[in-house]
C-alpha cells in the first residue's frame, strides 16, 4: 500500500509534563502507515522552527517521503496544548504563533504525485476543503477525518467535501447508536461512499446499505493521543490489502476485518506516549 497524508501538522505540547510530540491528523496517519510497514508520504507546509524540525526529523526517521513538502523558513508550527492525567488529555489551547504556514496549495506537479498513491488522506484540520475536488482525478481512495466540531458538519461544508470521499470519518461520542445511524445515512446522502463513526465504546461502519458495529480493545492506556489516527491507518491498510479501490463498495466481511485490525493496532498505540512517539523536551 502507498498512503499519503495531506495538510495538517502540529506539535502536541503536554504542558504539565514539559514534553512535546509531533502530530497532526495527516502526519499521524502517514507515520502509522510507515510503522505498519507500508510506503507512506506527507504533503504539507512545515515551518523551519524547532517544532517543525521535530516533525520533519521524526517523519524522515520513519522513512516517510517529504519530497513534496514546502519548508517555510520564517514559519511557526501550530501548537496544540494539553495536560495529560492518567493517559487522558485535558485540552488547554491552540497556538498558531506569528506565522503559521497553513494549508498547502496543490499544484499540477502535486496532483501528478498524488495520483501515484492508493490512499490519499486529509482532514478538516488541514483547511483544504476548497481543494478536495481537485483530487477526483486521482486513482486512489480518498479518506477524510471530520473530527468533532460542528463547524465542519454544516450543509455547505459537507456539500463541498463529501462528494469526493470514499471514506468519511467522524467522532460522535455524544450520539446514541440510532442517532449515529441516522447521521451516517445523512453523510452518505451527501456523497461519501462509506462512513465510519467512532465513539468511546467502539465504531460504526456504513457502506450505504449495511451497518457494522465494532468494539474497542480495553487496555490501561499510557496515552490516548493519536488513537483515532492509528485506528484509521490500520483499518485502511487492511481494506487496501483486501482489494479496496476507488468507487468500490465494501462488503460486510471487509469492514469487519478492517475494524478488527484497527482495534488491535489502536490499542497498541495507546501504550506509547504521543501520537506516534518521538518525545522532545519543551523549550523553557
Amino acid at each position: 500500500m502507498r498512503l499519503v497524508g495531506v495538510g495538517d501538522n502540529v506539535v502536541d505540547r503536554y504542558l504539565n509534563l514539559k514534553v512535546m510530540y509531533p502530530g497532526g491528523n495527516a502526519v499521524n496517519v502517514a507515520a502509522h502507515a510507515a510503522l505498519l510497514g507500508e510506503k507512506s508520504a506527507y504533503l504539507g507546509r512545515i515551518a523551519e522552527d524547532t517544532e517543525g524540525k521535530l516533525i520533519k526529523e521524526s517523519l524522515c526517521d520513519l522513512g516517510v517521503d517529504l519530497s513534496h513538502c514546502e519548508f517555510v523558513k520564517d514559519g511557526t508550527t501550530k501548537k496544540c496544548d494539553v495536560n495529560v492525567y492518567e493517559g487522558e488529555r485535558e485540552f488547554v489551547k491552540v497556538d498558531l504563533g506569528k506565522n503559521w504556514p497553513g494549508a498547502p496549495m496543490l499544484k499540477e506537479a502535486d496532483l501528478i504525485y498524488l495520483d501515484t498513491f492508493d490512499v490519499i488522506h486529509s482532514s478538516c484540520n488541514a483547511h483544504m476543503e476548497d481543494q478536495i475536488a481537485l483530487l477526483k482525478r486521482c486513482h486512489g481512495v480518498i479518506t477524510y477525518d471530520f473530527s468533532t466540531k460542528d463547524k465542519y458538519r454544516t450543509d455547505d461544508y459537507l456539500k463541498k467535501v463529501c462528494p469526493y470521499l470514499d471514506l468519511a470519518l467522524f467522532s460522535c461520542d455524544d450520539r446514541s447508536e440510532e442517532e449515529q445511524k441516522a447521521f451516517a445515512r445523512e453523510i452518505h446522502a451527501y456523497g461519501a461512499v462509506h462512513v465510519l463513526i467512532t465513539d468511546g465504546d467502539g465504531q460504526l461502519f456504513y457502506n450505504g446499505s449495511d451497518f457494522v458495529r465494532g468494539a474497542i480493545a480495553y487496555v490501561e492506556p499510557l496515552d490516548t493521543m493519536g488513537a483515532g489516527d492509528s485506528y484509521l491507518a490500520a483499518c485502511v491498510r487492511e481494506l487496501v490489502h483486501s482489494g479496496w479501490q476507488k468507487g468500490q463498495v465494501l462488503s460486510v466481511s471487509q469492514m469487519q476485518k478492517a475494524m478488527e485490525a484497527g482495534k488491535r493496532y489502536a490499542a497498541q498505540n495507546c501504550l506509547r506516549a504521543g501520537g506516534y512517539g518521538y518525545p522532545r523536551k519543551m523549550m523553557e
Side-chain angles (χ1 to χ4, degrees):
M1 178 187 75
R2 286 174 52 83
L3 178 148
V4 58
V6 182
D8 59 315
N9 62 82
V10 305
V11 290
D12 297 307
R13 301 197 303 183
Y14 295 13
L15 300 182
N16 60 323
L17 302 179
K18 304 298 182 185
V19 65
M20 62 183 181
Y21 296 88
N25 184 268
V27 163
N28 285 344
V29 173
H32 283 295
L35 285 164
L36 284 161
E38 304 295 338
K39 293 182 179 179
S40 74
Y42 172 67
L43 191 161
R45 306 184 77 204
I46 301 177
E48 290 192 330
D49 56 3
T50 298
E51 292 81 6
K53 289 176 182 177
L54 172 59
I55 294 167
K56 178 182 178 180
E57 290 168 5
S58 67
L59 292 176
C60 286
D61 186 65
L62 291 172
V64 177
D65 178 21
L66 304 181
S67 62
H68 279 250
C69 285
E70 178 184 353
F71 297 96
V72 182
K73 184 176 181 180
D74 299 320
T76 52
T77 302
K78 181 178 179 180
K79 305 168 187 66
C80 292
D81 291 345
V82 299
N83 288 317
V84 178
Y85 303 102
E86 297 181 351
E88 294 295 334
R89 303 185 305 278
E90 175 187 89
F91 175 77
V92 178
K93 63 182 173 69
V94 171
D95 179 7
L96 295 180
K98 295 180 179 180
N99 189 25
W100 177 52
M105 298 300 297
L106 297 178
K107 303 178 288 294
E108 178 64 18
D110 296 324
L111 293 170
I112 293 172
Y113 172 72
L114 291 172
D115 193 36
T116 67
F117 289 89
D118 302 305
V119 181
I120 303 171
H121 176 74
S122 193
S123 80
C124 58
N125 294 316
H127 301 294
M128 295 190 63
E129 57 273 10
D130 293 325
Q131 300 185 71
I132 292 299
L134 297 174
L135 302 178
K136 64 182 179 181
R137 63 185 268 189
C138 299
H139 91 277
V141 297
I142 301 172
T143 64
Y144 195 91
D145 193 333
F146 289 82
S147 189
T148 61
K149 295 178 182 177
D150 289 339
K151 67 180 180 179
Y152 300 124
R153 302 181 183 191
T154 65
D155 181 65
D156 287 344
Y157 193 92
L158 295 172
K159 283 180 177 177
K160 188 177 291 186
V161 178
C162 287
Y164 308 102
L165 305 183
D166 295 278
L167 175 60
L169 177 67
F170 293 84
S171 178
C172 295
D173 287 350
D174 58 343
R175 300 188 187 216
S176 67
E177 184 164 330
E178 286 308 308
E179 289 172 331
Q180 289 180 14
K181 287 182 177 179
F183 182 65
R185 293 188 184 100
E186 179 185 346
I187 299 304
H188 184 266
Y190 274 103
V193 181
H194 301 90
V195 184
L196 178 58
I197 295 173
T198 64
D199 60 40
D201 297 318
Q203 316 84 34
L204 187 70
F205 212 149
Y206 182 55
N207 65 0
S209 57
D210 303 298
F211 287 100
V212 176
R213 183 70 185 176
I216 60 174
Y218 288 96
V219 295
E220 190 67 36
L222 173 64
D223 188 358
T224 58
M225 184 72 76
D229 299 332
S230 62
Y231 178 93
L232 180 65
C235 182
V236 169
R237 175 179 183 263
E238 175 65 29
L239 291 173
V240 171
H241 281 286
S242 77
W244 186 37
Q245 296 182 352
K246 193 180 190 73
Q248 176 193 344
V249 177
L250 295 167
S251 68
V252 169
S253 176
Q254 284 176 301
M255 292 189 290
Q256 288 173 332
K257 291 178 180 178
M259 294 172 87
E260 182 64 25
K263 177 184 76 173
R264 291 196 306 268
Y265 185 68
Q268 293 173 20
N269 195 57
C270 288
L271 301 178
R272 88 172 105 208
Y276 57 94
Y278 292 91
R280 182 161 300 175
K281 187 177 179 181
M282 285 176 55
M283 302 291 289
E284 294 296 338

